[in-house]
Amino acid sequence: MSNKMPVSDLLVQPRKRVGFGKLQQIVMFLVLIALIALFSILSDSFWKYTTFVSIFGYMYYIMLMAIGVTFPLITGGVDLSMGAGLVSYAVIGSYLIRINGWSTEWAVLLTIGMGVFIGFINGTVVARIGLPPFITTLCTMMITRGLGPILTSSFSGTWPTSGQPGGWIRDIWRVTTSNTDNAYFRFISNIWPDVEGMRRGIYPVGIIWMILLAIIMTFVLNRTKVGRYIIGIGSNKEALRLSGVNVVKWQTIAYMISGFFAGLAAIAFAGTLSTITPGTGAGFELEAIGAAIIGGTAMTGGSGTIIGTFIGVLIISVLKTGLPFVGLQANWQQVITGAVLLAAVIMDILKNKKKVSD
Amino acid sequence: MKSLLDRIKNNPVVRFVGFSRVVLLAVVLLLIGIFSLLSPLLNKGVVFLDINRLMSALNYYYFIGFLALGVTFVIATGGIDFSIGSVMFCSALISGYCLTRYGLPLWLCILISMAVGAAFGAAGGFLAAYIRLPSFITSMALMLIAKGTGSIFTMTQSVSWPKLSDGKDAWFRYFISYNGFPTGLVILIVFAVLAGILLFKTRPGRYIVCLGSNREAVRLSGVDVRKWEMLAFIMSGLFAGIAAIFYVGAYTTVQPGMGDIFNNEAIAACVMGGTSMAGGSASIFGTIIGAFVIAMVQEGILSMGFNINYQYVLTGLILFTAVAADTISRRRRN
């Protein structure tokens, strides 16, 4: 590989972002710690094992969307179709299980397949026809949002619960056990000495998949051809194209990755929520985009890390789970999410200004 | 075949009106045909082209026209405003709450509605023009903030504006129709003319359109581009505040946390009418035509007996087609 395309490899060397990128990750990690400390001080009931289990439960689908959307963001685009899309995929999947009698395995495959398909459409339109990404994905957002309820006759979806056939869809995210006498729970009880959490004996299994996926996607982004070309499209698309790389293909793949992760997020959504209301979900993607930008992905494309996105999602999840503990209800969460998104974008712009003046 | 197309394109009438508008007209006629044909079949004999039905249906769509007029200013600068739908709802919630709970006079509430809209527009304009943030992401953030602010202000309750039968404080409904006369149509056209004069016959308007096509050149010629770009966003917010009055005039009740679908309809109307997403060219006349097409499509879907989800899908497809046509024709010209 290395002696076949030396020119393009030179061109798409990831930018050296040891300085500010690492610094931002460290700062954001400190912000995360500070937020947890703040909520624990302000509210007596925040520092509990159950709180963190529910933060994880809330986090999974946002984390998956955020890892996915990092790829179009790095190419300099965006994917707004994920939120409405994932709800529609999950509703269609549950409809197939409940009404058409599909097995959970096939429904899962189709759910992910629909995500990849919508991602393929987004990518083709953006890369081949050259439409602005935000308008393209806005259109697919509206179309998927409408199609979900149309195809299922406004079915309120429920996936199999734990214990039912196909209930593994729940068990891959959290496992409840009555036997809490083992090393894990002894370790946990040292950190959170709350009895209630012990009695409910929950393993938040999903966090393992999140960490695994983050590691895999970090590898994909930094160590493979796909990742390098996607970074290259964001930093200098024209140079990459002139060096003979099929940029249309790789740009399409970036959107297919985000579509694939929207499908995975649909599985997480289906596996953690009891009922899915069709036609909702528009706006979920803003939390994911906010998380990716907080984590250091540049709005203008060309740089970004999965670890940064991971920390960004943790910040947003802690914020949204913690706000009710200090008395701020759901309508405040929207304002706060909007403010966080703005803050992230402003920070991104200031960072770029600093880079230029350096 | 090609010569026929060329002959149509070179026809003096077609050249005067513009080829893309002729295509739009053909599509509209085709849709009218489809709706007239399918409505009686699918929806128990509903006649689509019933003038009384259409005139009363029109009342429910004026607000899209106002939203589209406002967003034309922003799109002309090359930006985008996704917050207008939610800002419209936020304006209607805050001013309606002032009217029904605090008992403020109606004229003041209408001003409050416009002020709330203009304030959100100013915020979006400041972020886009002075801090140079991408307007699609800041307007999305403002969309969330507008939704949240509306529901915080009304404590998550929906607000019902007075009906004509209530007698008191209901004269805003005459803005829409007065004993069957379509006042809303007249007001919309007056505002469209005013917007057209502002955009094409005054200095600020020229700056707004020019900075959409070449921001750097306008800046280098000594114009404070930031001020005029911000003005475009303020206009968009102001029109969202006006649209709020026309929304509640037709639908009476506003619920918190909603409204984000309407910005897409307004943007689709605007782009369909010939305002380029890339900025630098705008058409107020086209925007009004686009708004009527959107209204007609939505009414057609309802008259065929389909629900709102079909409207989402179709609006998405229309917006996609409009932007794709704009992008492809622009590429051809280059």
Side-chain angles (χ1 to χ4, degrees):
Chain A
M1 190 181 105
S2 55
N3 50 3
K4 245 187 178 177
M5 48 194 88
V7 186
S8 58
D9 265 16
L10 274 176
L11 279 168
V12 297
Q13 277 300 320
R15 283 184 204 162
K16 294 270 171 267
R17 49 194 140 67
V18 191
F20 213 87
K22 279 266 157 37
L23 182 65
Q24 181 169 7
Q25 281 169 24
I26 294 165
V27 169
M28 284 302 134
F29 188 71
L30 292 178
V31 168
L32 176 66
I33 304 286
L35 271 178
I36 294 174
L38 186 73
F39 284 132
S40 306
I41 293 166
L42 288 178
S43 160
D44 296 333
S45 47
F46 183 79
W47 185 252
K48 280 186 176 172
Y49 179 58
T50 43
T51 309
F52 285 82
V53 169
S54 67
I55 288 177
F56 287 148
Y58 177 78
M59 182 188 78
Y60 298 142
Y61 71 93
I62 296 184
M63 178 74 81
L64 289 165
M65 276 193 293
I67 293 177
V69 83
T70 303
F71 287 80
L73 281 175
I74 288 177
T75 66
V78 75
D79 189 350
L80 303 175
S81 67
M82 303 179 102
L86 81 89
V87 171
S88 284
Y89 313 146
V91 165
I92 293 172
S94 71
Y95 184 85
L96 291 172
I97 294 173
R98 297 292 180 191
I99 308 291
N100 293 14
W102 283 34
S103 71
T104 308
E105 289 76 12
W106 282 109
V108 163
L109 276 181
L110 187 90
T111 303
I112 297 175
M114 283 186 284
V116 176
F117 177 68
I118 294 293
F120 174 72
I121 292 180
N122 284 334
T124 308
V125 171
V126 169
R128 216 170 276 277
I129 313 184
L131 256 59
F134 64 93
I135 283 285
T136 309
T137 53
L138 186 77
C139 292
T140 43
M141 174 193 111
M142 292 170 75
I143 293 168
T144 46
R145 177 184 183 167
L147 276 183
I150 289 173
L151 294 177
T152 61
S153 338
S154 297
F155 180 76
S156 263
T158 49
W159 285 61
T161 50
S162 186
Q164 286 179 348
W168 58 266
I169 193 81
R170 309 267 171 195
D171 300 335
I172 54 173
W173 304 109
R174 60 160 30 174
V175 175
T176 311
T177 169
S178 53
N179 174 25
T180 58
D181 189 31
N182 59 30
Y184 173 75
F185 282 104
R186 270 195 295 276
F187 173 69
I188 290 298
S189 64
N190 286 331
I191 311 175
W192 293 284
D194 56 315
V195 189
E196 185 209 13
M198 288 304 95
R199 211 177 274 156
R200 288 180 61 185
I202 299 164
Y203 297 102
V205 196
I207 193 71
I208 299 171
W209 314 129
M210 295 302 123
I211 293 169
L212 266 181
L213 275 172
I215 292 170
I216 294 172
M217 294 324 280
T218 302
F219 178 79
V220 168
L221 187 62
N222 295 328
R223 294 274 176 273
T224 66
K225 199 161 76 173
V226 189
R228 260 193 216 181
Y229 285 161
I230 284 174
I231 294 175
I233 289 171
S235 56
N236 196 340
K237 187 178 172 183
E238 197 51 26
L240 196 63
R241 195 182 65 76
L242 289 175
S243 68
V245 176
N246 185 352
V247 284
V248 169
K249 181 172 120 193
W250 298 109
Q251 202 174 359
T252 310
I253 286 175
Y255 286 89
M256 287 172 76
I257 292 175
S258 80
F260 174 75
F261 273 91
L264 287 185
I267 304 300
F269 198 71
T272 49
L273 263 79
S274 47
T275 317
I276 308 159
T277 317
T280 57
F284 289 171
E285 68 281 347
L286 294 179
E287 290 171 8
I289 294 168
I293 299 173
I294 289 174
T297 304
M299 274 302 302
T300 42
S303 72
T305 58
I306 304 293
I307 301 295
T309 302
F310 200 97
I311 297 172
V313 173
L314 281 173
I315 289 179
I316 290 210
S317 309
V318 167
L319 206 53
K320 289 203 84 166
T321 322
L323 285 173
F325 282 92
V326 293
L328 295 176
Q329 288 309 319
N331 37 20
W332 279 98
Q333 293 187 355
Q334 278 181 326
V335 176
I336 302 270
T337 312
V340 168
L341 187 60
L342 271 186
V345 185
I346 292 174
M347 208 165 61
D348 177 50
I349 293 283
L350 293 181
K351 190 176 68 182
N352 283 351
K353 269 196 189 141
K354 193 170 185 286
K355 240 184 229 164
V356 171
S357 63
D358 284 351
Chain B
M1 201 56 211
K2 200 185 172 193
S3 67
L4 181 68
L5 199 66
D6 281 345
R7 244 189 301 170
I8 293 174
K9 273 186 179 170
N10 290 328
N11 185 302
V13 180
V14 174
R15 280 177 97 167
F16 178 71
V17 186
F19 182 67
S20 57
R21 294 215 179 110
V22 175
V23 173
L24 188 63
L25 185 71
V27 172
V28 168
L29 289 178
L30 184 74
L31 281 174
I32 289 178
I34 293 173
F35 292 146
S36 320
L37 201 69
L38 290 184
S39 297
L41 295 176
L42 294 173
N43 198 18
K44 298 177 207 131
V46 169
V47 180
F48 178 69
L49 278 180
D50 176 349
I51 189 70
N52 290 325
R53 210 181 61 81
L54 284 186
M55 285 312 282
S56 63
L58 203 53
N59 293 341
Y60 292 92
Y61 297 107
Y62 291 133
F63 76 96
I64 292 182
F66 285 97
L67 286 180
L69 278 181
V71 82
T72 305
F73 284 84
V74 172
I75 296 182
T77 68
I80 190 80
D81 193 344
F82 285 132
S83 68
I84 46 174
S86 309
V87 168
M88 177 181 83
F89 264 50
C90 183
S91 294
L93 281 170
I94 291 178
S95 54
Y97 202 75
C98 288
L99 183 72
T100 53
R101 290 295 156 89
Y102 300 143
L104 297 183
L106 179 57
W107 60 269
L108 186 61
C109 293
I110 292 175
L111 285 183
I112 289 174
S113 173
M114 287 156 75
V116 170
F120 273 102
F126 179 77
L127 293 168
Y130 286 87
I131 312 190
R132 300 294 291 135
L133 300 182
S135 54
F136 83 91
I137 200 93
T138 55
S139 62
M140 290 244 161
L142 282 174
M143 172 182 99
L144 292 175
I145 293 174
K147 275 187 191 175
T149 310
S151 56
I152 290 167
F153 195 88
T154 62
M155 290 158 216
T156 334
Q157 285 166 348
S158 59
V159 171
S160 288
W161 283 61
K163 294 194 180 74
L164 270 179
S165 52
D166 296 346
K168 194 173 163 288
D169 282 339
W171 50 263
F172 68 94
R173 293 194 181 257
Y174 293 131
F175 288 162
I176 290 190
S177 88
Y178 186 79
N179 295 335
F181 177 76
T183 26
L185 189 62
V186 177
I187 297 175
L188 179 63
I189 289 171
V190 168
F191 270 92
V193 170
L194 289 178
I197 291 173
L198 176 61
L199 198 56
F200 299 114
K201 299 288 175 208
T202 67
R203 191 178 289 223
R206 289 237 183 98
Y207 288 152
I208 284 174
V209 179
C210 289
L211 77 89
S213 66
N214 195 340
R215 189 191 163 88
E216 199 51 24
V218 180
R219 195 182 67 80
L220 288 177
S221 64
V223 176
D224 185 359
V225 283
R226 295 175 300 182
K227 191 164 75 184
W228 304 117
E229 187 174 1
M230 183 157 160
L231 177 74
F233 279 86
I234 294 177
M235 290 305 294
S236 155
L238 184 66
F239 269 102
I242 297 170
I245 303 301
F246 284 82
Y247 182 87
V248 292
Y251 290 90
T252 308
T253 307
V254 251
Q255 284 164 332
M258 312 262 284
D260 53 327
I261 192 67
F262 300 121
N263 34 23
N264 305 339
E265 291 167 0
I267 292 165
C270 187
V271 178
M272 205 164 19
T275 301
S276 168
M277 284 298 304
S281 77
S283 165
I284 293 290
F285 177 68
T287 296
I288 293 295
I289 299 295
F292 277 110
V293 175
I294 292 281
M296 192 198 70
V297 168
Q298 306 229 328
E299 193 51 36
I301 288 173
L302 290 181
S303 80
M304 290 194 297
F306 292 128
N307 61 19
I308 190 164
N309 293 311
Y310 290 86
Q311 290 188 352
Y312 291 151
V313 175
L314 209 66
T315 314
L317 286 173
I318 290 174
L319 180 57
F320 170 73
T321 316
V323 180
D326 172 44
T327 310
I328 292 169
S329 73
R330 203 153 18 85
R331 197 191 290 160
R332 286 248 173 85
R333 250 177 275 146
N334 293 340

